[in-house]
């Protein structure tokens, strides 16, 4: 099994160096490493020249955004599975690819966990994997592309959409997993280490705006409102609710509780 590790970078030379170091020191060696730099002016190209012999392919030229860069990487990729480890994000340790390759699976997506680290507070936590993937999951969340390995064939005729600037990876996951019912294999291993605080609140609002634009095109108004109501639960509670509803005894208990609560507040 061969992997293509694709890194997109723009004016983040220190983060780029960290990412490169985490990739080139993997104990599993059957991978290619592709770096697409968007014409950085901060010395990123000098970093790439420094590691030239350890990078399968790199280019530094202007592009039209992150997904244009990711699509350039896809066009060059020859691996069975693609992973997008963009600059600043790193493999959790040097054994990640070795662990991923040990799973006997032909799933369309192999998805591990992220480790989110807050350097200021010196605290970290791992991402939560949902009990199952449905439209409800993608209404409130996504899968992290840094910890996902995606079959190269899924991109044939379906590159990342470049008309969306912020959420095209979310759209790709939604269309492939929900609409096309591609298979996902969750693994318990931590794949990626990410620094907290990468997105400002303003950026989060822009993300949500793009997601809502897509969802309004995809879903009838009534269904959208149903999902919007459920999404008022936090993600952890929503996952627990799904788990409860799949168990008959627990489901009956929660229905009974809802009836009691309804009587109290009526």
């Amino acid at each position: 099994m061969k992997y293509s590790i694709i890194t997109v970078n723009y004016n983040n030379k220190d983060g780029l160096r960290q990412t490169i170091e985490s990739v080139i020191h993997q104990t599993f060696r059957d991978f290619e490493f592709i770096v697409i730099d968007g014409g950085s002016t901060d010395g990123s190209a000098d970093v790439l020249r420094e590691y030239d012999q350890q990078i399968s392919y790199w280019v530094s030229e202007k592009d039209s955004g992150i997904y244009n860069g990711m699509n350039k990487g896809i066009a060059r990729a020859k691996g069975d599975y693609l992973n997008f480890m963009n600059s600043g994000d790193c493999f959790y340790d040097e054994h990640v690819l070795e662990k991923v390759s040990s799973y006997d699976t032909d799933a369309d997506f192999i998805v591990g966990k992220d480790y989110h680290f807050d350097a200021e507070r010196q605290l970290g936590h791992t991402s939560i994997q949902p009990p199952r993937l449905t439209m409800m999951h993608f209404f409130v969340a996504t899968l992290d592309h840094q910890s996902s390995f995606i079959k190269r064939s899924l991109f044939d005729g379906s590159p990342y959409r470049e008309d969306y600037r912020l959420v095209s990876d979310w759209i790709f996951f939604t269309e492939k997993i929900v609409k096309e019912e591609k298979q996902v294999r969750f693994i318990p291993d931590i794949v990626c280490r990410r620094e907290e605080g990468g997105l400002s609140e303003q950026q989060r609002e822009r993300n949500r705006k793009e997601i809502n634009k897509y969802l309004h095109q995809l879903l009838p108004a009534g269904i959208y409102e149903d999902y919007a109501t459920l999404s008022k639960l936090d993600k952890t509670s929503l996952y627990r609710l799904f788990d409860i509803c799949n168990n008959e005894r627990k489901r009956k208990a929660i229905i009974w509780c809802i009836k009691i609560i309804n009587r109290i507040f009526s």
Side-chain angles (χ1 to χ4, degrees), residues 136 139-140 208 212 219 221-234 237-238 241-242:
M136 188 68 246
F139 197 95
V140 299
R208 193 68 234 179
N212 287 339
L219 301 174
I223 294 176
Y224 178 91
E225 290 303 321
D226 288 343
Y227 282 123
T229 299
L230 278 172
S231 72
K232 290 180 172 61
L233 292 173
D234 65 90
S237 298
L238 193 60
L241 178 62
F242 282 0

Side-chain angles (χ1 to χ4, degrees), residues 131-194:
R132 57 192 173 97
L133 288 172
T134 64
M135 190 65 238
M136 188 68 246
H137 167 80
F138 288 104
F139 197 95
V140 299
T142 187
L143 297 176
D144 295 311
H145 64 242
Q146 297 93 333
S147 55
S148 300
F149 294 82
I150 307 168
K151 266 191 178 177
R152 171 66 182 82
S153 58
L154 295 185
F155 290 102
D156 292 340
S158 301
Y160 286 121
R161 291 179 58 168
E162 296 181 25
D163 55 327
Y164 284 82
R165 294 189 60 81
L166 301 172
V167 299
S168 287
D169 52 336
W170 172 87
I171 291 174
F172 182 86
F173 284 130
T174 302
E175 292 185 342
K176 295 297 177 182
I177 295 170
V178 179
K179 292 175 69 175
E180 299 181 23
E181 299 183 325
K182 299 299 184 182
Q183 184 186 10
V184 179
R185 167 73 182 272
F186 284 109
I187 59 175
D189 305 281
I190 302 174
V191 171
C192 175
R193 176 188 171 102
R194 300 173 60 185

